Amino acid sequence: MSERLKRDFFIQPTLKVAKALLGKNLIRIYQGKRLSGKIVEVEAYIGPQDKASHGYLGKRTKRNQAEFLVGGHIYIYLVYGMYWQLNISTEKEGEPTCVLIRALEPLEEIIDSTNGPGKLCRALKLNKSFYAEDLCQSKRIWLEEGEKINPSQIVKAPRVGIDCAGPYWSSIPWRFYLKNNKFVSKK
């Protein structure tokens, strides 16, 4: 068992955290079993200037309050009324910044597909009950050190499914994934 990631990891600049999450292990305790996967794909959202962020212009809503928490908290929400999306808050409290976990490489006890944000939430049995959960304190979900990733293994690409934010914001390469990893959702 590796060391759990501490607060200082999460309160760094969002783009740094996003790249550093690659290779880390996401651990979920479910019905006494340890479900885990290596993070292989992420996307950064840096509100308030980022039009694709739920915290664009610093707007707070009941849905996005967890995005404003100090780094290391879960911001989970439902899209299309059926797919949970797991995000991790970054930076200091009051900044609407987070990283979406897009794909995992299964390690322990995961049998369902994890190559997409909705699929990985389903495989890990994640739902609204994890909203604002502190990854640094939780007994049911946390992150651990994992594989050391060489920067040459990291691919930068535009984020997925945010065309509504306009051509500029949808083309910024704030999606990061591991080169040649078969569990990445979109190459």
Side-chain angles (χ1 to χ4, degrees), residues 144-157:
E144 293 179 354
E145 288 293 343
E147 181 183 330
K148 181 85 172 138
I149 302 299
N150 186 307
S152 67
Q153 293 175 267
I154 299 174
V155 176
K156 295 178 187 178

Side-chain angles (χ1 to χ4, degrees), residues 121-179:
C121 285
R122 189 171 35 240
L124 293 174
K125 315 293 189 233
L126 299 177
N127 57 38
K128 182 168 100 176
S129 74
F130 286 86
Y131 187 87
E133 187 105 1
D134 186 348
L135 290 165
C136 301
Q137 303 291 326
S138 179
K139 293 185 180 356
R140 60 186 183 148
I141 189 168
W142 63 86
L143 293 174
E144 293 179 354
E145 288 293 343
E147 181 183 330
K148 181 85 172 138
I149 302 299
N150 186 307
S152 67
Q153 293 175 267
I154 299 174
V155 176
K156 295 178 187 178
R159 297 174 290 182
V160 177
I162 60 165
D163 294 339
C164 62
Y168 174 77
W169 291 102
S170 59
S171 67
I172 292 178
W174 286 354
R175 179 167 67 104
F176 306 98
Y177 63 88
L178 295 182
K179 189 185 299 182

Side-chain angles (χ1 to χ4, degrees), residues 29-65:
I29 304 301
Y30 179 72
Q31 295 183 346
K33 288 186 180 174
R34 183 179 155 105
L35 310 178
S36 71
K38 177 174 79 174
I39 298 173
V40 299
E41 182 183 5
V42 298
E43 287 180 352
Y45 290 88
I46 308 174
Q49 74 272 18
D50 181 356
K51 275 192 175 179
S53 169
H54 292 162
Y56 179 56
L57 299 178
K59 182 179 176 191
R60 286 183 190 241
T61 64
K62 187 175 178 184
R63 178 189 194 198
N64 77 354
Q65 284 296 329

Side-chain angles (χ1 to χ4, degrees), residues 97-111:
T97 54
C98 66
V99 177
L100 170 66
I101 308 302
R102 284 197 55 84
L104 295 176
E105 179 178 320
L107 296 175
E108 300 172 282
E109 300 287 338
I110 296 177
I111 52 174

